[in-house]
Amino acid sequence: GENVEQHPSTLSVQEGDSAVIKCTYSDSASNYFPWYKQELGKGPQLIIDIRSNVGEKKDQRIAVTLNKTAKHFSLHITETQPEDSAVYFCAAFDSNYQLIWGAGTKLIIKP
Amino acid sequence: GAGVSQSPSNKVTEKGKDVELRCDPISGHTALYWYRQSLGQGLEFLIYFQGNSAPDKSGLPSDRFSAERTGGSVSTLTIQRTQQEDSAVYLCASSDRGHSNEKLFFGSGTQLSVL
């Protein structure tokens, strides 16, 4: 079955710098890769997603890249701001179209 | 309502007691999920409802856990004879899977503490 690994578990960056979080998946048939942001005391919220027929997708300061050959995808946040501090989760569909989640990355933005 | 609503937001119970957690999904959403999140950990899938189909219970950790969804809307997660290891945040999510929309909308969760 599908397995998703996420790195790093914690990432600390200076405000204004970029942050990159990486995920790998095991099932080459997976075709949908979302990223969710979870703020303290709240449920996760979808921030961006990508499908396997696309290599990159951008939404303002956030971008996701997908390398199907290597089976990995990454979240890029540019010009980080204090409100970007949160836990970020990647996920991928398994063969039953259920989301398999990464373990999460705690992003800390230092002032 | 505007989003997924979960109640209670916090629940403290004694070991051995039964608890019921409630989820009100977004109106019209056909899919409903329950997840468990232990402190500082990722999302552990528990159960999935899709329309009138039989639920996917493959994530339930033991027979002390059960869930139902009445009328295709409200769902209740029941934990019988609670144990300390059941302490976690229980998250509910819904989506409109019937229209090939995979986006999940999460509630804020129920923080369960078993003493």
Side-chain angles (χ1 to χ4, degrees), chain A residues 32 36 38 41-46 49 51 87 89 93 96-99 101-104, chain B residues 33 35 37 40-43 45 48 56 91 97 100-109:
Chain A
Y32 176 68
Y36 282 76
Q38 185 176 28
K42 298 182 178 180
Q45 182 175 15
L46 179 70
D49 56 11
R51 299 184 188 278
V87 178
F89 292 97
F93 265 159
N96 294 318
Y97 294 96
Q98 296 297 337
L99 285 175
W101 298 82
Chain B
Y33 304 76
Y35 289 92
Q37 187 173 33
Q41 301 300 309
L43 300 171
F45 167 75
Y48 162 62
D56 177 356
L91 291 164
R97 288 290 295 271
S100 299
N101 183 354
E102 297 87 353
K103 179 178 180 179
L104 298 187
F105 294 82
F106 282 85
S108 294

Tab-separated table of all heavy atoms in Angstrom, chain A residues 32 36 38 41-46 49 51 87 89 93 96-99 101-104, chain B residues 33 35 37 40-43 45 48 56 91 97 100-109:
chain	number	residue	atom	x	y	z
A	32	TYR	N	-2.802	12.308	-6.823
A	32	TYR	CA	-3.296	13.532	-6.191
A	32	TYR	C	-2.519	13.770	-4.912
A	32	TYR	O	-2.412	12.858	-4.072
A	32	TYR	CB	-4.795	13.415	-5.901
A	32	TYR	CG	-5.366	14.594	-5.152
A	32	TYR	CD1	-5.453	15.852	-5.746
A	32	TYR	CD2	-5.815	14.455	-3.843
A	32	TYR	CE1	-5.965	16.934	-5.053
A	32	TYR	CE2	-6.332	15.524	-3.148
A	32	TYR	CZ	-6.410	16.763	-3.763
A	32	TYR	OH	-6.921	17.835	-3.082
A	36	TYR	N	-1.772	20.357	3.595
A	36	TYR	CA	-2.663	20.958	4.574
A	36	TYR	C	-1.837	21.690	5.631
A	36	TYR	O	-0.744	21.256	5.996
A	36	TYR	CB	-3.528	19.894	5.256
A	36	TYR	CG	-4.703	19.426	4.418
A	36	TYR	CD1	-4.511	18.551	3.353
A	36	TYR	CD2	-5.988	19.862	4.692
A	36	TYR	CE1	-5.587	18.126	2.580
A	36	TYR	CE2	-7.073	19.437	3.933
A	36	TYR	CZ	-6.861	18.578	2.876
A	36	TYR	OH	-7.933	18.163	2.119
A	38	GLN	N	-2.037	23.172	9.565
A	38	GLN	CA	-2.783	23.071	10.815
A	38	GLN	C	-2.240	24.080	11.817
A	38	GLN	O	-1.098	23.955	12.265
A	38	GLN	CB	-2.724	21.662	11.392
A	38	GLN	CG	-3.602	21.493	12.625
A	38	GLN	CD	-3.625	20.076	13.150
A	38	GLN	OE1	-2.673	19.314	12.979
A	38	GLN	NE2	-4.727	19.692	13.796
A	41	GLY	N	-4.756	24.388	17.745
A	41	GLY	CA	-6.136	24.323	18.201
A	41	GLY	C	-7.163	24.236	17.093
A	41	GLY	O	-8.370	24.301	17.355
A	42	LYS	N	-6.709	24.075	15.855
A	42	LYS	CA	-7.626	23.994	14.730
A	42	LYS	C	-7.400	22.719	13.935
A	42	LYS	O	-6.384	22.050	14.078
A	42	LYS	CB	-7.449	25.200	13.809
A	42	LYS	CG	-7.746	26.540	14.471
A	42	LYS	CD	-7.597	27.671	13.468
A	42	LYS	CE	-7.926	29.016	14.100
A	42	LYS	NZ	-7.781	30.139	13.133
A	43	GLY	N	-8.377	22.398	13.081
A	43	GLY	CA	-8.189	21.284	12.180
A	43	GLY	C	-7.352	21.698	10.983
A	43	GLY	O	-7.202	22.886	10.696
A	44	PRO	N	-6.778	20.737	10.270
A	44	PRO	CA	-5.984	21.058	9.077
A	44	PRO	C	-6.838	21.737	8.007
A	44	PRO	O	-8.037	21.487	7.897
A	44	PRO	CB	-5.502	19.685	8.595
A	44	PRO	CG	-5.568	18.807	9.804
A	44	PRO	CD	-6.750	19.303	10.579
A	45	GLN	N	-6.191	22.579	7.221
A	45	GLN	CA	-6.869	23.293	6.144
A	45	GLN	C	-6.060	23.151	4.869
A	45	GLN	O	-4.836	23.377	4.882
A	45	GLN	CB	-7.031	24.772	6.517
A	45	GLN	CG	-7.779	25.589	5.479
A	45	GLN	CD	-8.011	27.021	5.944
A	45	GLN	OE1	-7.405	27.483	6.898
A	45	GLN	NE2	-8.892	27.719	5.256
A	46	LEU	N	-6.726	22.809	3.779
A	46	LEU	CA	-6.037	22.663	2.492
A	46	LEU	C	-5.470	24.006	2.041
A	46	LEU	O	-6.164	25.019	2.029
A	46	LEU	CB	-7.006	22.145	1.435
A	46	LEU	CG	-6.430	21.955	0.028
A	46	LEU	CD1	-5.456	20.776	0.008
A	46	LEU	CD2	-7.537	21.755	-0.997
A	49	ASP	N	-2.834	21.992	-3.728
A	49	ASP	CA	-2.758	20.591	-4.131
A	49	ASP	C	-2.269	20.508	-5.570
A	49	ASP	O	-2.263	21.508	-6.300
A	49	ASP	CB	-4.101	19.878	-3.959
A	49	ASP	CG	-5.248	20.561	-4.710
A	49	ASP	OD1	-4.986	21.465	-5.537
A	49	ASP	OD2	-6.408	20.215	-4.442
A	51	ARG	N	-1.973	17.629	-9.077
A	51	ARG	CA	-2.295	16.335	-9.667
A	51	ARG	C	-1.126	15.860	-10.504
A	51	ARG	O	-0.264	16.648	-10.885
A	51	ARG	CB	-3.567	16.459	-10.505
A	51	ARG	CG	-4.753	16.879	-9.670
A	51	ARG	CD	-6.060	16.914	-10.445
A	51	ARG	NE	-7.109	17.502	-9.603
A	51	ARG	CZ	-7.782	16.822	-8.691
A	51	ARG	NH1	-7.543	15.544	-8.515
A	51	ARG	NH2	-8.702	17.420	-7.966
A	87	VAL	N	1.811	23.628	11.623
A	87	VAL	CA	2.234	22.287	11.222
A	87	VAL	C	1.675	22.018	9.825
A	87	VAL	O	0.499	22.269	9.563
A	87	VAL	CB	1.734	21.208	12.206
A	87	VAL	CG1	2.149	19.819	11.724
A	87	VAL	CG2	2.286	21.481	13.605
A	89	PHE	N	1.100	19.276	6.664
A	89	PHE	CA	0.983	17.862	6.333
A	89	PHE	C	0.885	17.682	4.824
A	89	PHE	O	0.110	18.372	4.153
A	89	PHE	CB	-0.277	17.250	6.959
A	89	PHE	CG	-0.246	17.153	8.453
A	89	PHE	CD1	-0.845	18.128	9.239
A	89	PHE	CD2	0.378	16.089	9.083
A	89	PHE	CE1	-0.822	18.048	10.623
A	89	PHE	CE2	0.407	15.997	10.470
A	89	PHE	CZ	-0.187	16.975	11.238
A	93	PHE	N	-3.023	10.073	-2.476
A	93	PHE	CA	-4.081	9.078	-2.598
A	93	PHE	C	-3.481	7.685	-2.664
A	93	PHE	O	-2.474	7.461	-3.331
A	93	PHE	CB	-4.872	9.286	-3.891
A	93	PHE	CG	-6.103	10.108	-3.730
A	93	PHE	CD1	-6.661	10.743	-4.831
A	93	PHE	CD2	-6.745	10.252	-2.513
A	93	PHE	CE1	-7.804	11.510	-4.705
A	93	PHE	CE2	-7.883	11.020	-2.375
A	93	PHE	CZ	-8.409	11.643	-3.488
A	96	ASN	N	-7.211	3.019	-3.163
A	96	ASN	CA	-8.636	3.109	-2.836
A	96	ASN	C	-9.117	4.559	-2.779
A	96	ASN	O	-10.209	4.826	-2.284
A	96	ASN	CB	-8.913	2.442	-1.486
A	96	ASN	CG	-8.678	0.950	-1.517
A	96	ASN	OD1	-9.048	0.268	-2.467
A	96	ASN	ND2	-8.045	0.437	-0.473
A	97	TYR	N	-8.299	5.459	-3.293
A	97	TYR	CA	-8.615	6.892	-3.284
A	97	TYR	C	-8.838	7.416	-1.880
A	97	TYR	O	-9.680	8.279	-1.648
A	97	TYR	CB	-9.823	7.192	-4.192
A	97	TYR	CG	-9.526	6.922	-5.641
A	97	TYR	CD1	-9.869	5.714	-6.231
A	97	TYR	CD2	-8.853	7.873	-6.419
A	97	TYR	CE1	-9.564	5.466	-7.557
A	97	TYR	CE2	-8.549	7.623	-7.741
A	97	TYR	CZ	-8.909	6.408	-8.301
A	97	TYR	OH	-8.605	6.160	-9.608
A	98	GLN	N	-8.073	6.858	-0.925
A	98	GLN	CA	-8.047	7.410	0.424
A	98	GLN	C	-6.720	8.120	0.618
A	98	GLN	O	-5.684	7.688	0.103
A	98	GLN	CB	-8.196	6.295	1.461
A	98	GLN	CG	-9.530	5.575	1.410
A	98	GLN	CD	-10.686	6.488	1.724
A	98	GLN	OE1	-10.539	7.519	2.369
A	98	GLN	NE2	-11.870	6.127	1.252
A	99	LEU	N	-6.745	9.205	1.369
A	99	LEU	CA	-5.528	9.961	1.607
A	99	LEU	C	-4.646	9.267	2.637
A	99	LEU	O	-5.111	8.874	3.702
A	99	LEU	CB	-5.868	11.378	2.093
A	99	LEU	CG	-6.372	12.348	1.028
A	99	LEU	CD1	-6.777	13.666	1.677
A	99	LEU	CD2	-5.318	12.591	-0.038
A	101	TRP	N	-1.358	10.097	4.883
A	101	TRP	CA	-0.776	11.346	5.371
A	101	TRP	C	0.688	11.179	5.782
A	101	TRP	O	1.081	10.130	6.315
A	101	TRP	CB	-1.568	11.847	6.577
A	101	TRP	CG	-2.990	12.172	6.262
A	101	TRP	CD1	-4.030	11.290	6.186
A	101	TRP	CD2	-3.532	13.460	5.973
A	101	TRP	NE1	-5.187	11.962	5.861
A	101	TRP	CE2	-4.915	13.297	5.720
A	101	TRP	CE3	-2.995	14.746	5.896
A	101	TRP	CZ2	-5.756	14.366	5.412
A	101	TRP	CZ3	-3.835	15.806	5.593
A	101	TRP	CH2	-5.193	15.612	5.350
A	102	GLY	N	1.460	12.233	5.535
A	102	GLY	CA	2.781	12.316	6.128
A	102	GLY	C	2.663	12.626	7.610
A	102	GLY	O	1.578	12.947	8.103
A	103	ALA	N	3.792	12.561	8.320
A	103	ALA	CA	3.799	12.727	9.766
A	103	ALA	C	3.738	14.183	10.205
A	103	ALA	O	3.549	14.462	11.388
A	103	ALA	CB	5.025	12.048	10.368
A	104	GLY	N	3.928	15.117	9.269
A	104	GLY	CA	3.828	16.528	9.601
A	104	GLY	C	5.166	17.199	9.802
A	104	GLY	O	6.152	16.564	10.194
B	33	TYR	N	-15.146	11.641	7.435
B	33	TYR	CA	-13.996	10.918	7.959
B	33	TYR	C	-13.824	11.232	9.450
B	33	TYR	O	-14.074	12.354	9.891
B	33	TYR	CB	-12.708	11.371	7.266
B	33	TYR	CG	-12.678	11.270	5.768
B	33	TYR	CD1	-13.344	12.189	4.966
B	33	TYR	CD2	-11.949	10.262	5.138
B	33	TYR	CE1	-13.293	12.107	3.588
B	33	TYR	CE2	-11.889	10.178	3.758
B	33	TYR	CZ	-12.568	11.099	2.983
B	33	TYR	OH	-12.510	11.011	1.614
B	35	TYR	N	-10.587	11.041	12.202
B	35	TYR	CA	-9.164	10.837	12.396
B	35	TYR	C	-8.846	11.024	13.880
B	35	TYR	O	-9.556	11.732	14.596
B	35	TYR	CB	-8.336	11.861	11.609
B	35	TYR	CG	-8.333	11.685	10.116
B	35	TYR	CD1	-9.265	12.342	9.306
B	35	TYR	CD2	-7.387	10.880	9.494
B	35	TYR	CE1	-9.254	12.191	7.935
B	35	TYR	CE2	-7.359	10.729	8.112
B	35	TYR	CZ	-8.294	11.392	7.335
B	35	TYR	OH	-8.278	11.242	5.976
B	37	GLN	N	-5.602	12.251	16.383
B	37	GLN	CA	-4.295	12.916	16.378
B	37	GLN	C	-3.770	12.981	17.806
B	37	GLN	O	-4.292	13.729	18.632
B	37	GLN	CB	-4.412	14.316	15.771
B	37	GLN	CG	-3.075	15.005	15.567
B	37	GLN	CD	-3.194	16.320	14.817
B	37	GLN	OE1	-4.189	17.039	14.940
B	37	GLN	NE2	-2.180	16.644	14.022
B	40	GLY	N	1.274	16.156	19.093
B	40	GLY	CA	2.458	16.324	18.273
B	40	GLY	C	2.630	15.299	17.172
B	40	GLY	O	3.699	15.231	16.560
B	41	GLN	N	1.579	14.531	16.907
B	41	GLN	CA	1.685	13.474	15.906
B	41	GLN	C	0.844	13.784	14.669
B	41	GLN	O	0.160	14.806	14.595
B	41	GLN	CB	1.231	12.135	16.514
B	41	GLN	CG	2.024	11.692	17.723
B	41	GLN	CD	3.486	11.498	17.409
B	41	GLN	OE1	3.845	10.810	16.456
B	41	GLN	NE2	4.348	12.130	18.192
B	42	GLY	N	0.917	12.874	13.703
B	42	GLY	CA	0.164	13.024	12.473
B	42	GLY	C	-1.272	12.546	12.621
B	42	GLY	O	-1.766	12.330	13.724
B	43	LEU	N	-1.931	12.394	11.481
B	43	LEU	CA	-3.335	12.020	11.444
B	43	LEU	C	-3.483	10.514	11.271
B	43	LEU	O	-2.994	9.947	10.301
B	43	LEU	CB	-4.034	12.734	10.294
B	43	LEU	CG	-3.989	14.257	10.360
B	43	LEU	CD1	-4.508	14.854	9.074
B	43	LEU	CD2	-4.792	14.757	11.532
B	45	PHE	N	-6.039	7.629	10.521
B	45	PHE	CA	-7.361	7.366	9.965
B	45	PHE	C	-8.114	6.370	10.843
B	45	PHE	O	-7.564	5.351	11.279
B	45	PHE	CB	-7.222	6.806	8.543
B	45	PHE	CG	-8.490	6.212	7.984
B	45	PHE	CD1	-9.508	7.032	7.554
B	45	PHE	CD2	-8.654	4.843	7.893
B	45	PHE	CE1	-10.686	6.496	7.035
B	45	PHE	CE2	-9.809	4.288	7.373
B	45	PHE	CZ	-10.833	5.115	6.948
B	48	TYR	N	-14.376	5.907	7.592
B	48	TYR	CA	-14.807	6.722	6.460
B	48	TYR	C	-16.205	6.298	6.046
B	48	TYR	O	-16.477	5.107	5.872
B	48	TYR	CB	-13.809	6.528	5.316
B	48	TYR	CG	-14.265	6.935	3.938
B	48	TYR	CD1	-14.605	8.254	3.658
B	48	TYR	CD2	-14.318	6.004	2.895
B	48	TYR	CE1	-14.983	8.630	2.382
B	48	TYR	CE2	-14.706	6.367	1.622
B	48	TYR	CZ	-15.035	7.686	1.364
B	48	TYR	OH	-15.417	8.057	0.092
B	56	ASP	N	-15.943	2.328	5.683
B	56	ASP	CA	-14.606	1.735	5.745
B	56	ASP	C	-14.128	1.856	7.182
B	56	ASP	O	-13.716	2.931	7.610
B	56	ASP	CB	-13.671	2.470	4.784
B	56	ASP	CG	-12.242	1.951	4.849
B	56	ASP	OD1	-11.941	1.084	5.687
B	56	ASP	OD2	-11.412	2.439	4.066
B	91	LEU	N	-10.538	14.290	15.211
B	91	LEU	CA	-10.904	15.220	14.149
B	91	LEU	C	-11.899	14.581	13.197
B	91	LEU	O	-11.771	13.412	12.833
B	91	LEU	CB	-9.663	15.637	13.359
B	91	LEU	CG	-8.653	16.527	14.073
B	91	LEU	CD1	-7.328	16.522	13.335
B	91	LEU	CD2	-9.177	17.937	14.202
B	97	ARG	N	-17.210	14.305	-2.176
B	97	ARG	CA	-16.523	13.361	-3.055
B	97	ARG	C	-17.313	13.032	-4.307
B	97	ARG	O	-16.766	12.647	-5.313
B	97	ARG	CB	-16.227	12.054	-2.303
B	97	ARG	CG	-15.148	12.150	-1.270
B	97	ARG	CD	-13.787	12.329	-1.867
B	97	ARG	NE	-13.347	11.192	-2.650
B	97	ARG	CZ	-12.680	10.153	-2.171
B	97	ARG	NH1	-12.401	10.093	-0.901
B	97	ARG	NH2	-12.302	9.177	-2.975
B	100	SER	N	-16.024	14.571	-7.587
B	100	SER	CA	-14.586	14.482	-7.818
B	100	SER	C	-13.825	15.598	-7.142
B	100	SER	O	-12.822	16.072	-7.668
B	100	SER	CB	-14.298	14.484	-9.330
B	100	SER	OG	-14.909	13.370	-9.943
B	101	ASN	N	-14.320	16.036	-6.012
B	101	ASN	CA	-13.634	17.072	-5.251
B	101	ASN	C	-13.030	16.419	-4.027
B	101	ASN	O	-13.735	15.994	-3.123
B	101	ASN	CB	-14.637	18.155	-4.855
B	101	ASN	CG	-13.973	19.299	-4.120
B	101	ASN	OD1	-12.792	19.235	-3.805
B	101	ASN	ND2	-14.725	20.330	-3.826
B	102	GLU	N	-11.712	16.351	-4.001
B	102	GLU	CA	-11.071	15.629	-2.922
B	102	GLU	C	-10.772	16.483	-1.697
B	102	GLU	O	-10.239	15.988	-0.717
B	102	GLU	CB	-9.754	15.013	-3.433
B	102	GLU	CG	-9.921	13.989	-4.536
B	102	GLU	CD	-9.955	14.617	-5.924
B	102	GLU	OE1	-9.989	15.864	-6.036
B	102	GLU	OE2	-9.948	13.855	-6.907
B	103	LYS	N	-11.094	17.764	-1.733
B	103	LYS	CA	-10.753	18.650	-0.629
B	103	LYS	C	-11.518	18.255	0.624
B	103	LYS	O	-12.739	18.112	0.598
B	103	LYS	CB	-11.071	20.102	-0.995
B	103	LYS	CG	-10.761	21.099	0.121
B	103	LYS	CD	-11.044	22.523	-0.316
B	103	LYS	CE	-10.748	23.522	0.793
B	103	LYS	NZ	-11.003	24.919	0.358
B	104	LEU	N	-10.779	18.088	1.711
B	104	LEU	CA	-11.377	17.776	3.006
B	104	LEU	C	-11.533	19.057	3.810
B	104	LEU	O	-10.630	19.891	3.852
B	104	LEU	CB	-10.510	16.794	3.789
B	104	LEU	CG	-10.277	15.405	3.195
B	104	LEU	CD1	-9.534	14.534	4.196
B	104	LEU	CD2	-11.579	14.759	2.790
B	105	PHE	N	-12.672	19.180	4.460
B	105	PHE	CA	-12.920	20.285	5.383
B	105	PHE	C	-12.953	19.692	6.787
B	105	PHE	O	-13.786	18.824	7.075
B	105	PHE	CB	-14.255	20.965	5.060
B	105	PHE	CG	-14.272	21.661	3.726
B	105	PHE	CD1	-14.503	20.952	2.557
B	105	PHE	CD2	-14.051	23.033	3.637
B	105	PHE	CE1	-14.516	21.580	1.318
B	105	PHE	CE2	-14.070	23.675	2.406
B	105	PHE	CZ	-14.299	22.950	1.243
B	106	PHE	N	-12.068	20.175	7.646
B	106	PHE	CA	-11.949	19.631	8.987
B	106	PHE	C	-12.674	20.505	10.005
B	106	PHE	O	-12.717	21.731	9.875
B	106	PHE	CB	-10.473	19.549	9.405
B	106	PHE	CG	-9.726	18.398	8.807
B	106	PHE	CD1	-9.155	18.500	7.552
B	106	PHE	CD2	-9.579	17.212	9.511
B	106	PHE	CE1	-8.442	17.443	7.001
B	106	PHE	CE2	-8.875	16.148	8.971
B	106	PHE	CZ	-8.308	16.260	7.713
B	107	GLY	N	-13.196	19.840	11.039
B	107	GLY	CA	-13.643	20.556	12.207
B	107	GLY	C	-12.443	20.873	13.098
B	107	GLY	O	-11.304	20.506	12.782
B	108	SER	N	-12.697	21.542	14.213
B	108	SER	CA	-11.615	21.915	15.120
B	108	SER	C	-11.251	20.801	16.090
B	108	SER	O	-10.285	20.933	16.846
B	108	SER	CB	-11.995	23.172	15.901
B	108	SER	OG	-12.092	24.279	15.022
B	109	GLY	N	-12.033	19.724	16.065
B	109	GLY	CA	-11.666	18.568	16.865
B	109	GLY	C	-12.263	18.545	18.257
B	109	GLY	O	-12.734	19.561	18.775
